[in-house]
Amino acid sequence: MSNETLTLASYAAGIRLADIPAEVVARAERLILDFVGNIVRGGFETDSAPALRALVEKAGFGAPGPCTVIGEARGYGPAAAALLNGAFGHSLDFDDTHAASSLHPSAPVIPAALAAAELTGASGADFVAAVIAGYEVCCRLGLALDPTRHYARGFHPTATAGTFGAAAAAGRLLGLAPETMVAAFGVAGSQAAGSLQFLANGAWNKRYQVGAAAMNGLLAALLAAEDFHGSSAAIEGEHGFLKGYSDGADPAVAVAGLGLHFETLRIGLKPYPSCRYTHAALDGLLALRAEHTLKACDIQQVDIGLHRNGIKLTADPLPEKRRVRAVVEGQFSMPFTAAVALDQGRFGWDDYRRLGDPVLDALSDRITVFADPRLEGRSHPFGATLRLTTPKGIFERTVPDPSGEPETFPDDAALRAKFMTLSAPVIGATAAGALADAILILSRTDAVTLKTAASAGR
């Protein structure tokens, strides 16, 4: 046992913005911008939002408080704000992805950090540093789990590893000492939960369990701050997180290069509001469609090869994935997302209105998805192979990496365009623009004031 829990706890407790490379700070601000756009639109438009708001009120923690649910004028208590921001921000499935660990780091981390920052009156610099601490903890734990084996056991790493990332971010802002952060991780280990069973019926569990991870990580840090005695060695222990949640975990991976190598720089952004395993295929299909001026009626057969993780999430069982009728089902359907892209030459959030469209059903029947062994053993599992059969010929392409990865990270203009597309319909263009400006200078501000900027439209 090499005490990875204490190592990660000491890192998260002691991280300071001055010790973080400028490029990492700038990347974190842009990841925050992207996720905030998801919160605003997700809280306004998604089908599960009314139930989540009702839960907060009926469960008795909807009383006014100092914390922001972005896009709303009223204040919430910290637990409610973390839950709602996390669930809303993950509802579109348009939030960022750390490919190597196959999780969405912002969804649990930012809501916990924001609630803790508003609770403590933290500076923007401390907030950004805490977010980076949370990113590093949850991404490294996701890597240590071995995401393929973690998925194989039916776990959702954004919610499981994400609980620790949320605790790290909140604990940093609460000023926890290393040994107190260990206690926070001990409590987080009892609350880390997330099941892939939502795939069976397009359930809303996925977004809820990520919001719960943000809330539970925050609560773990708050408990530790009150000298609650949490379990030790919660990560590497005999009954700890890594041994309990994976058949092939490597604890050393969680701390390798800690403080020198930043996983934050390996977080990518999504160009499409669907499971990341669909994105390389969508990139390739859209490119082939444009290059060969194809229309849906030209498509005789589409064969899409994915990594086995992608098959589990987006193509199994294939007949059911061809007949999705709910948004979550569509987000995790390679046939549906591919059919939309091929039919209209684009794919965005508003296209879920086409669920059940007979044109897309007919096209989905001509789409086959298979596990391609050529995509195994790569640095991450998000590539795709494509074969389109048309009257014009057979067109093939391999897309090893989806767009939006760190090597093709969008520039600020593209980032702002996505943010405005998501947030302006809810809070108005003026408020959305001001919110974007505020986020991109967070590390240089004395306080985190997203409520003022974001509440104009609601």
Side-chain angles (χ1 to χ4, degrees):
M1 186 180 298
S2 53
N3 221 345
E4 285 80 11
T5 302
L6 179 59
T7 301
L8 287 172
S10 299
Y11 173 78
I15 193 170
R16 298 292 182 270
L17 196 75
D19 301 326
I20 303 172
E23 64 175 333
V24 180
V25 174
R27 179 61 57 85
E29 288 173 330
R30 282 148 184 81
L31 295 169
I32 293 167
L33 175 67
D34 185 77
F35 188 68
V36 166
N38 278 271
I39 294 172
V40 173
R41 191 65 172 268
F44 174 73
E45 192 166 283
T46 53
D47 40 13
S48 58
L52 288 163
R53 287 197 179 90
L55 165 69
V56 166
E57 298 300 329
K58 292 181 179 179
F61 56 106
C67 298
T68 302
V69 172
I70 302 177
E72 298 190 25
R74 61 158 291 189
Y76 287 83
L83 171 65
L84 293 178
N85 280 325
F88 293 163
H90 196 53
S91 293
L92 306 183
D93 223 311
F94 213 174
D95 47 322
D96 56 32
T97 306
H98 183 261
S101 63
S102 195
L103 60 78
H104 303 264
S106 285
V109 168
I110 289 175
L114 179 59
E118 293 181 317
L119 194 62
T120 61
S123 69
D126 282 338
F127 171 69
V128 174
V131 167
I132 293 169
Y135 286 160
E136 294 300 311
V137 167
C138 72
C139 291
R140 288 170 171 276
L141 288 179
L143 291 170
L145 284 166
D146 183 339
T148 296
R149 297 190 184 201
H150 192 54
Y151 270 121
R153 293 188 61 179
F155 288 116
H156 180 209
T158 303
T160 58
T163 305
F164 288 90
R172 163 64 179 81
L173 289 160
L174 293 169
L176 301 189
E179 61 274 13
T180 315
M181 188 74 81
V182 168
F185 286 172
V187 178
S190 293
Q191 301 178 93
S195 165
L196 295 178
Q197 189 61 25
F198 67 85
L199 292 167
N201 63 337
W204 297 339
N205 296 53
K206 181 173 187 279
R207 57 193 69 166
Y208 171 76
Q209 64 200 23
V210 171
M215 178 179 67
N216 287 336
L218 172 68
L219 293 177
L222 288 168
L223 268 176
E226 298 299 326
D227 296 323
F228 189 87
H229 188 49
S231 61
S232 62
I235 291 170
E236 74 279 1
E238 180 61 27
H239 302 291
F241 179 61
L242 295 181
K243 290 186 179 180
Y245 288 67
S246 175
D247 297 321
D250 184 354
V253 171
V255 296
L258 185 64
L260 300 174
H261 167 78
F262 286 86
E263 292 298 326
T264 299
L265 291 176
R266 295 212 292 164
I267 300 172
L269 295 185
K270 285 186 172 185
Y272 315 110
S274 58
C275 177
R276 191 62 162 153
Y277 285 97
T278 68
H279 285 205
L282 294 175
D283 286 340
L285 292 172
L286 290 170
L288 289 171
R289 184 185 188 278
E291 290 168 12
H292 301 287
T293 60
L294 299 174
K295 298 180 180 178
C297 59
D298 296 322
I299 306 299
Q300 297 171 330
Q301 176 67 29
V302 182
D303 299 296
I304 301 174
L306 299 178
H307 185 278
R308 55 182 159 153
N309 288 3
I311 297 296
K312 181 179 181 68
L313 292 177
T314 72
D316 184 24
L318 189 59
E320 293 182 15
K321 294 292 186 178
R322 288 172 170 155
R323 288 295 181 273
V324 294
R325 293 296 183 263
V327 171
V328 175
E329 293 174 341
Q331 290 169 327
F332 286 84
S333 168
M334 186 72 259
F336 172 76
T337 56
V340 173
L342 287 169
D343 184 56
Q344 59 189 35
R346 67 180 188 278
F347 178 56
W349 171 249
D350 292 330
D351 295 322
Y352 286 107
R353 297 170 184 167
R354 298 193 64 191
L355 285 163
D357 187 325
V359 172
L360 297 183
D361 284 350
L363 186 51
S364 293
D365 287 338
R366 304 197 294 275
I367 296 173
T368 295
V369 190
F370 65 96
D372 192 331
R374 293 172 293 178
L375 299 172
E376 300 286 339
R378 303 185 65 253
S379 59
H380 64 72
F382 289 144
T385 58
L386 304 170
R387 178 183 174 92
L388 271 66
T389 303
T390 78
K392 299 180 180 182
I394 295 175
F395 307 112
E396 297 183 324
R397 177 156 299 180
T398 296
V399 184
D401 302 297
S403 57
E405 285 300 297
E407 297 76 16
T408 55
F409 197 84
D411 61 21
D412 283 359
L415 274 169
R416 185 179 283 267
K418 178 182 174 182
F419 178 82
M420 295 298 289
T421 298
L422 291 174
S423 60
V426 180
I427 60 175
T430 299
L435 180 56
D437 292 340
I439 292 170
L440 291 175
I441 60 167
L442 265 174
S443 63
R444 291 167 276 163
T445 60
D446 294 331
V448 181
T449 55
L450 301 186
K451 180 181 292 185
T452 302
S455 63
R458 297 195 65 179

